[in-house]
Amino acid sequence: MSTTDPAPEREEAARRATVLHLRVPPGTPHPLYRSVLEVLEPISPTVQVIPPGAALIDVAGVLRLHHRTPYEMAEIIRLRAAAMTGLPLHIGVAANWALAATASAHPGPNGIRLVADSPAAVTAFLHPLPIDALYGIGRRQAETLRRYGIHHIGTLAAVPATTIQRVLGGRDGRLLQQRARGEDHRRVAPTVLPRSTSETRAFEHDELDPHVVRTAILDAAVTLGARLRDRGQAATAVELQLRMSDRSLLTRSRKLPSPTAHSADLRDCAYGIFNGHHLQRARVRAVTVRADQLLDADRVAEQISLDRTEENVRRIENAIDRANRRFGAGSVLPAALAGRRSA
Protein backbone atom coordinates (compact mmCIF):
# COMPACT_ATOMS: atom_id res chain seq x y z
CA MET A 1 0.00 0.00 0.00
CA SER A 2 1.32 3.44 -0.88
CA THR A 3 1.38 6.10 1.78
CA THR A 4 2.97 9.44 2.52
CA ASP A 5 3.27 8.74 6.23
CA PRO A 6 4.69 5.23 6.73
CA ALA A 7 3.08 3.36 9.62
CA PRO A 8 5.41 1.70 12.15
CA GLU A 9 4.66 -1.81 10.85
CA ARG A 10 5.85 -0.79 7.37
CA GLU A 11 9.00 0.95 8.55
CA GLU A 12 11.46 -1.62 7.23
CA ALA A 13 9.79 -1.79 3.80
CA ALA A 14 9.73 2.01 3.68
CA ARG A 15 13.46 2.24 4.52
CA ARG A 16 14.26 -0.02 1.55
CA ALA A 17 12.62 2.51 -0.80
CA THR A 18 15.85 4.43 -1.32
CA VAL A 19 15.46 5.83 -4.85
CA LEU A 20 14.02 9.34 -5.13
CA HIS A 21 12.72 10.73 -8.43
CA LEU A 22 12.28 14.52 -8.53
CA ARG A 23 10.27 16.61 -10.98
CA VAL A 24 10.36 20.38 -11.30
CA PRO A 25 7.29 22.21 -12.66
CA PRO A 26 7.03 22.17 -16.48
CA GLY A 27 8.68 25.17 -18.11
CA THR A 28 11.12 25.77 -15.25
CA PRO A 29 14.07 27.90 -16.52
CA HIS A 30 17.37 26.03 -16.70
CA PRO A 31 19.13 28.18 -14.04
CA LEU A 32 16.43 27.25 -11.51
CA TYR A 33 16.66 23.58 -12.52
CA ARG A 34 20.41 23.79 -12.01
CA SER A 35 19.83 25.28 -8.56
CA VAL A 36 17.64 22.29 -7.67
CA LEU A 37 20.47 19.96 -8.69
CA GLU A 38 22.77 21.88 -6.36
CA VAL A 39 20.37 21.17 -3.49
CA LEU A 40 20.99 17.45 -4.06
CA GLU A 41 24.79 17.64 -3.94
CA PRO A 42 25.21 17.67 -0.14
CA ILE A 43 22.59 14.91 0.23
CA SER A 44 24.16 12.05 -1.74
CA PRO A 45 26.95 11.55 -4.29
CA THR A 46 24.65 9.30 -6.34
CA VAL A 47 22.66 11.80 -8.41
CA GLN A 48 21.58 11.20 -12.00
CA VAL A 49 20.49 14.25 -13.99
CA ILE A 50 17.52 13.74 -16.34
CA PRO A 51 17.13 16.98 -18.33
CA PRO A 52 15.18 19.11 -18.77
CA GLY A 53 13.31 18.81 -15.49
CA ALA A 54 13.96 15.65 -13.48
CA ALA A 55 16.64 13.91 -11.46
CA LEU A 56 17.24 10.68 -9.59
CA ILE A 57 19.02 10.39 -6.27
CA ASP A 58 19.89 7.15 -4.48
CA VAL A 59 20.11 7.66 -0.71
CA ALA A 60 20.82 4.04 0.29
CA GLY A 61 24.43 4.79 1.22
CA VAL A 62 23.79 7.95 3.24
CA LEU A 63 20.81 7.11 5.47
CA ARG A 64 23.04 6.39 8.47
CA LEU A 65 25.05 9.56 7.80
CA HIS A 66 21.96 11.77 7.82
CA HIS A 67 20.03 9.75 10.43
CA ARG A 68 16.91 10.02 8.29
CA THR A 69 14.52 7.70 6.46
CA PRO A 70 14.20 8.01 2.66
CA TYR A 71 10.84 9.75 3.11
CA GLU A 72 12.39 12.24 5.53
CA MET A 73 15.19 12.86 3.01
CA ALA A 74 12.54 13.69 0.41
CA GLU A 75 10.96 16.17 2.84
CA ILE A 76 14.34 17.83 3.44
CA ILE A 77 15.06 18.10 -0.30
CA ARG A 78 11.64 19.56 -1.03
CA LEU A 79 11.96 22.10 1.80
CA ARG A 80 15.45 23.21 0.77
CA ALA A 81 14.49 23.47 -2.89
CA ALA A 82 11.48 25.60 -2.00
CA ALA A 83 13.62 27.87 0.19
CA MET A 84 16.33 28.33 -2.46
CA THR A 85 14.26 28.44 -5.65
CA GLY A 86 10.59 28.73 -4.70
CA LEU A 87 9.86 25.64 -6.81
CA PRO A 88 7.35 23.06 -5.51
CA LEU A 89 9.06 19.76 -6.33
CA HIS A 90 7.15 16.51 -6.82
CA ILE A 91 9.10 13.58 -5.40
CA GLY A 92 8.50 9.86 -5.73
CA VAL A 93 10.18 7.54 -3.22
CA ALA A 94 10.43 3.86 -4.12
CA ALA A 95 12.82 0.94 -4.49
CA ASN A 96 13.71 1.53 -8.15
CA TRP A 97 13.84 4.11 -10.92
CA ALA A 98 10.60 3.37 -12.82
CA LEU A 99 8.49 2.98 -9.69
CA ALA A 100 9.82 6.22 -8.17
CA ALA A 101 9.22 8.06 -11.46
CA THR A 102 5.61 6.84 -11.59
CA ALA A 103 5.18 7.89 -7.95
CA SER A 104 6.52 11.41 -8.59
CA ALA A 105 3.86 11.84 -11.28
CA HIS A 106 1.16 11.06 -8.68
CA PRO A 107 2.32 12.90 -5.54
CA GLY A 108 0.34 13.24 -2.35
CA PRO A 109 -1.00 16.54 -0.99
CA ASN A 110 2.46 17.49 0.27
CA GLY A 111 4.16 16.77 -3.06
CA ILE A 112 5.67 13.43 -2.03
CA ARG A 113 4.56 9.86 -2.74
CA LEU A 114 6.17 6.92 -0.96
CA VAL A 115 5.75 3.40 -2.28
CA ALA A 116 7.22 1.00 0.27
CA ASP A 117 9.30 -1.93 -0.95
CA SER A 118 6.68 -4.63 -0.44
CA PRO A 119 4.46 -6.50 -2.92
CA ALA A 120 1.31 -5.22 -1.21
CA ALA A 121 2.43 -1.57 -1.39
CA VAL A 122 3.51 -1.83 -5.03
CA THR A 123 0.27 -3.54 -6.05
CA ALA A 124 -1.93 -1.03 -4.19
CA PHE A 125 -0.20 1.91 -5.85
CA LEU A 126 0.38 0.70 -9.42
CA HIS A 127 -2.53 -1.58 -10.31
CA PRO A 128 -5.42 0.95 -10.18
CA LEU A 129 -3.56 3.49 -12.36
CA PRO A 130 -4.54 3.91 -16.04
CA ILE A 131 -2.24 2.19 -18.50
CA ASP A 132 -0.80 5.44 -19.87
CA ALA A 133 0.44 6.34 -16.36
CA LEU A 134 3.08 3.58 -16.59
CA TYR A 135 6.54 5.12 -16.72
CA GLY A 136 8.15 4.73 -20.15
CA ILE A 137 5.06 3.66 -22.09
CA GLY A 138 4.49 5.38 -25.42
CA ARG A 139 1.19 6.83 -26.62
CA ARG A 140 0.82 4.27 -29.40
CA GLN A 141 1.68 1.40 -27.06
CA ALA A 142 -1.00 2.56 -24.63
CA GLU A 143 -3.54 2.83 -27.46
CA THR A 144 -2.68 -0.68 -28.64
CA LEU A 145 -3.14 -2.13 -25.16
CA ARG A 146 -6.49 -0.38 -24.74
CA ARG A 147 -7.71 -1.90 -28.00
CA TYR A 148 -7.04 -5.29 -26.43
CA GLY A 149 -9.01 -4.32 -23.31
CA ILE A 150 -6.00 -3.51 -21.13
CA HIS A 151 -6.92 -0.19 -19.53
CA HIS A 152 -5.10 -0.39 -16.18
CA ILE A 153 -1.57 -1.21 -15.10
CA GLY A 154 -2.86 -4.08 -12.94
CA THR A 155 -4.34 -5.78 -15.99
CA LEU A 156 -1.03 -5.49 -17.85
CA ALA A 157 0.76 -7.04 -14.87
CA ALA A 158 -1.65 -10.02 -14.83
CA VAL A 159 -1.81 -10.85 -18.55
CA PRO A 160 0.42 -13.79 -19.63
CA ALA A 161 3.85 -12.59 -20.73
CA THR A 162 3.63 -14.34 -24.11
CA THR A 163 0.42 -12.45 -24.92
CA ILE A 164 1.94 -9.05 -24.15
CA GLN A 165 5.09 -9.85 -26.11
CA ARG A 166 3.01 -10.80 -29.16
CA VAL A 167 1.05 -7.52 -28.89
CA LEU A 168 3.96 -5.14 -28.21
CA GLY A 169 6.97 -7.11 -29.36
CA GLY A 170 9.34 -9.23 -27.32
CA ARG A 171 11.61 -6.63 -25.74
CA ASP A 172 9.05 -3.85 -25.25
CA GLY A 173 6.39 -6.21 -23.97
CA ARG A 174 8.77 -7.79 -21.46
CA LEU A 175 10.09 -4.42 -20.26
CA LEU A 176 6.68 -2.78 -19.79
CA GLN A 177 5.24 -5.80 -18.01
CA GLN A 178 8.19 -5.79 -15.61
CA ARG A 179 7.48 -2.14 -14.81
CA ALA A 180 3.77 -2.89 -14.39
CA ARG A 181 4.85 -5.36 -11.70
CA GLY A 182 7.07 -2.75 -10.04
CA GLU A 183 10.37 -4.15 -11.35
CA ASP A 184 13.25 -2.12 -12.76
CA HIS A 185 16.84 -3.39 -12.57
CA ARG A 186 18.58 -0.19 -13.70
CA ARG A 187 20.90 1.47 -11.22
CA VAL A 188 21.06 5.19 -10.53
CA ALA A 189 24.21 6.23 -12.40
CA PRO A 190 25.92 9.39 -11.12
CA THR A 191 26.41 11.99 -13.83
CA VAL A 192 29.05 14.68 -14.03
CA LEU A 193 28.99 17.30 -11.33
CA PRO A 194 27.40 20.66 -12.11
CA ARG A 195 29.70 23.53 -13.00
CA SER A 196 28.77 25.33 -9.81
CA THR A 197 27.83 24.58 -6.23
CA SER A 198 26.35 26.78 -3.53
CA GLU A 199 25.55 27.03 0.16
CA THR A 200 22.74 29.10 1.68
CA ARG A 201 22.48 30.40 5.22
CA ALA A 202 19.12 31.80 6.29
CA PHE A 203 18.64 33.90 9.40
CA GLU A 204 15.90 33.37 11.98
CA HIS A 205 14.95 37.03 11.59
CA ASP A 206 15.95 39.87 9.26
CA GLU A 207 19.57 40.57 10.16
CA LEU A 208 20.97 44.10 10.58
CA ASP A 209 24.38 43.23 12.04
CA PRO A 210 27.06 43.02 9.29
CA HIS A 211 29.23 40.89 11.60
CA VAL A 212 26.53 38.22 11.77
CA VAL A 213 26.15 38.32 7.98
CA ARG A 214 29.91 37.95 7.52
CA THR A 215 29.93 34.98 9.90
CA ALA A 216 27.24 33.33 7.76
CA ILE A 217 29.35 33.98 4.66
CA LEU A 218 32.35 32.40 6.39
CA ASP A 219 30.27 29.35 7.35
CA ALA A 220 29.13 28.88 3.73
CA ALA A 221 32.65 29.39 2.35
CA VAL A 222 34.15 26.81 4.73
CA THR A 223 31.53 24.25 3.68
CA LEU A 224 32.07 24.97 -0.02
CA GLY A 225 35.85 24.73 0.25
CA ALA A 226 35.67 21.34 1.98
CA ARG A 227 33.22 20.09 -0.67
CA LEU A 228 35.45 21.19 -3.54
CA ARG A 229 38.55 19.62 -2.02
CA ASP A 230 36.68 16.39 -1.36
CA ARG A 231 35.52 16.27 -5.00
CA GLY A 232 38.84 17.31 -6.49
CA GLN A 233 37.47 20.54 -7.97
CA ALA A 234 38.45 24.21 -7.94
CA ALA A 235 36.39 27.36 -8.39
CA THR A 236 37.22 30.06 -10.91
CA ALA A 237 34.70 32.61 -9.62
CA VAL A 238 32.56 33.34 -6.56
CA GLU A 239 29.02 34.68 -6.53
CA LEU A 240 27.35 36.22 -3.48
CA GLN A 241 23.58 36.52 -3.31
CA LEU A 242 21.84 38.50 -0.56
CA ARG A 243 18.12 38.03 -0.06
CA MET A 244 16.74 41.19 1.54
CA SER A 245 13.77 41.62 3.85
CA ASP A 246 11.57 42.76 0.93
CA ARG A 247 12.47 39.49 -0.92
CA SER A 248 14.61 41.36 -3.45
CA LEU A 249 17.96 39.83 -4.41
CA LEU A 250 21.38 41.48 -4.59
CA THR A 251 23.61 39.26 -6.72
CA ARG A 252 27.19 39.97 -7.71
CA SER A 253 30.08 37.75 -8.79
CA ARG A 254 33.83 38.19 -8.92
CA LYS A 255 36.59 36.33 -10.71
CA LEU A 256 39.18 34.72 -8.45
CA PRO A 257 42.86 35.58 -9.06
CA SER A 258 43.42 31.89 -9.79
CA PRO A 259 41.28 28.72 -9.53
CA THR A 260 41.13 27.55 -5.93
CA ALA A 261 39.44 25.21 -3.47
CA HIS A 262 40.86 26.91 -0.37
CA SER A 263 38.19 28.13 2.01
CA ALA A 264 40.14 31.28 2.86
CA ASP A 265 40.27 32.33 -0.81
CA LEU A 266 36.53 31.76 -1.25
CA ARG A 267 35.84 33.63 1.99
CA ASP A 268 37.99 36.63 1.10
CA CYS A 269 36.39 36.93 -2.34
CA ALA A 270 32.86 36.73 -0.87
CA TYR A 271 33.81 39.28 1.81
CA GLY A 272 35.07 41.61 -0.89
CA ILE A 273 31.75 41.37 -2.76
CA PHE A 274 29.82 41.99 0.47
CA ASN A 275 31.92 45.02 1.39
CA GLY A 276 31.45 46.37 -2.11
CA HIS A 277 27.69 46.65 -1.58
CA HIS A 278 28.27 49.31 1.12
CA LEU A 279 25.05 48.32 2.86
CA GLN A 280 23.85 50.67 5.58
CA ARG A 281 21.28 49.34 8.04
CA ALA A 282 20.14 46.82 5.42
CA ARG A 283 17.95 43.97 6.59
CA VAL A 284 19.31 40.68 5.22
CA ARG A 285 17.16 37.54 5.28
CA ALA A 286 19.60 35.00 3.78
CA VAL A 287 23.00 34.74 2.09
CA THR A 288 24.06 32.34 -0.65
CA VAL A 289 27.68 31.81 -1.63
CA ARG A 290 28.22 30.06 -4.96
CA ALA A 291 31.51 28.59 -6.18
CA ASP A 292 31.23 28.98 -9.95
CA GLN A 293 32.92 27.86 -13.19
CA LEU A 294 34.35 24.76 -11.52
CA LEU A 295 37.38 22.94 -12.90
CA ASP A 296 38.90 19.56 -12.12
CA ALA A 297 41.68 20.15 -9.61
CA ASP A 298 44.19 18.17 -11.67
CA ARG A 299 43.87 20.84 -14.39
CA VAL A 300 44.88 23.58 -11.95
CA ALA A 301 48.51 24.42 -11.24
CA GLU A 302 49.11 24.75 -7.50
CA GLN A 303 50.49 28.18 -6.72
CA ILE A 304 53.63 28.11 -4.60
CA SER A 305 53.41 30.66 -1.81
CA LEU A 306 56.40 32.32 -0.13
CA ASP A 307 54.12 33.50 2.68
CA ARG A 308 54.77 31.29 5.70
CA THR A 309 51.42 32.20 7.27
CA GLU A 310 49.50 31.25 4.13
CA GLU A 311 51.37 27.95 3.84
CA ASN A 312 50.57 27.14 7.47
CA VAL A 313 46.88 27.91 6.88
CA ARG A 314 46.82 25.45 3.99
CA ARG A 315 48.52 22.75 6.05
CA ILE A 316 45.98 23.29 8.83
CA GLU A 317 43.21 23.08 6.23
CA ASN A 318 44.43 19.66 5.12
CA ALA A 319 44.54 18.48 8.74
CA ILE A 320 41.00 19.75 9.31
CA ASP A 321 39.79 17.88 6.21
CA ARG A 322 41.33 14.63 7.51
CA ALA A 323 39.76 15.11 10.94
CA ASN A 324 36.33 15.85 9.49
CA ARG A 325 36.49 12.82 7.21
CA ARG A 326 37.34 10.66 10.20
CA PHE A 327 35.02 12.11 12.83
CA GLY A 328 32.25 13.60 10.71
CA ALA A 329 31.66 16.83 8.83
CA GLY A 330 31.81 19.90 11.06
CA SER A 331 33.82 18.21 13.82
CA VAL A 332 36.55 20.83 13.39
CA LEU A 333 35.58 24.39 12.46
CA PRO A 334 37.10 27.89 12.56
CA ALA A 335 36.85 29.49 16.00
CA ALA A 336 34.49 32.15 14.60
CA LEU A 337 31.95 29.40 13.88
CA ALA A 338 32.14 27.75 17.31
CA GLY A 339 28.65 27.00 18.52
CA ARG A 340 27.09 27.76 15.13
CA ARG A 341 25.42 25.03 13.13
CA SER A 342 24.94 25.30 9.38
CA ALA A 343 21.37 25.99 8.30
Side-chain angles (χ1 to χ4, degrees):
M1 178 177 181
S2 67
T3 176
T4 56
D5 185 14
E9 61 270 20
R10 301 191 186 94
E11 182 177 345
E12 183 56 35
R15 288 186 67 86
R16 294 197 301 270
T18 58
V19 176
L20 280 58
H21 184 275
L22 297 81
R23 298 177 188 264
V24 302
T28 295
H30 181 73
L32 281 181
Y33 173 58
R34 188 184 69 178
S35 295
V36 170
L37 298 180
E38 292 171 4
V39 171
L40 305 181
E41 295 174 38
I43 302 292
S44 171
T46 312
V47 176
Q48 183 169 342
V49 180
I50 310 175
L56 286 164
I57 176 170
D58 192 332
V59 297
V62 297
L63 293 179
R64 293 181 64 184
L65 173 66
H66 293 291
H67 304 289
R68 296 288 190 273
T69 65
Y71 179 80
E72 290 169 338
M73 298 298 293
E75 290 182 310
I76 291 170
I77 290 170
R78 196 166 189 272
L79 182 63
R80 290 183 181 178
M84 285 188 62
T85 69
L87 295 176
L89 300 187
H90 288 174
I91 304 179
V93 185
N96 61 59
W97 177 341
L99 193 54
T102 304
S104 69
H106 299 83
N110 64 344
I112 302 172
R113 173 73 64 180
L114 166 68
V115 182
D117 185 27
S118 71
V122 172
T123 297
F125 170 66
L126 276 182
H127 286 197
L129 294 177
I131 193 64
D132 51 9
L134 183 64
Y135 180 75
I137 195 168
R139 181 176 56 84
R140 291 185 178 179
Q141 291 172 323
E143 291 174 352
T144 299
L145 291 175
R146 281 194 291 266
R147 285 201 301 269
Y148 282 89
I150 300 173
H151 296 277
H152 293 88
I153 293 177
T155 309
L156 175 59
V159 170
T162 53
T163 301
I164 295 301
Q165 290 174 30
R166 280 199 300 268
V167 171
L168 296 178
R171 182 181 179 277
D172 288 348
R174 183 168 52 252
L175 178 64
L176 289 176
Q177 191 168 57
Q178 286 175 348
R179 293 182 182 177
R181 294 170 177 170
E183 302 170 6
D184 187 354
H185 303 295
R186 293 172 296 174
R187 292 180 177 273
V188 179
T191 49
V192 294
L193 293 169
R195 284 175 50 81
S196 66
T197 182
S198 65
E199 279 290 313
T200 298
R201 298 293 179 265
F203 302 112
E204 294 182 0
H205 51 79
D206 295 341
E207 188 56 62
L208 282 166
D209 188 344
H211 175 73
V212 175
V213 176
R214 286 168 62 89
T215 301
I217 292 172
L218 169 63
D219 192 16
V222 167
T223 301
L224 286 175
R227 184 182 302 157
L228 293 179
R229 293 190 297 276
D230 186 57
R231 292 176 174 176
Q233 291 185 298
T236 303
V238 169
E239 178 184 283
L240 179 67
Q241 182 183 93
L242 303 175
R243 183 178 294 275
M244 314 308 290
S245 59
D246 61 357
R247 296 187 178 276
S248 64
L249 294 176
L250 292 179
T251 303
R252 189 173 296 174
S253 61
R254 181 175 293 182
K255 199 85 170 176
L256 287 157
S258 60
T260 183
H262 297 298
S263 298
D265 296 337
L266 302 177
R267 174 205 65 197
D268 291 346
C269 188
Y271 279 175
I273 298 172
F274 178 67
N275 295 338
H277 282 296
H278 301 292
L279 299 177
Q280 299 292 331
R281 302 290 295 172
R283 297 179 180 272
V284 180
R285 183 164 294 178
V287 300
T288 297
V289 181
R290 185 189 305 275
D292 215 350
Q293 301 174 34
L294 303 184
L295 302 174
D296 292 336
D298 56 12
R299 294 174 51 194
V300 178
E302 181 70 21
Q303 297 292 323
I304 298 176
S305 173
L306 300 179
D307 186 327
R308 176 61 65 87
T309 300
E310 183 178 345
E311 284 299 308
N312 288 340
V313 167
R314 295 188 178 185
R315 290 194 183 99
I316 292 171
E317 190 175 65
N318 291 332
I320 290 173
D321 287 345
R322 290 194 297 271
N324 285 334
R325 280 194 291 268
R326 180 173 181 180
F327 300 108
S331 298
V332 182
L333 292 168
L337 301 178
R340 177 185 174 88
R341 185 59 263 163
S342 299

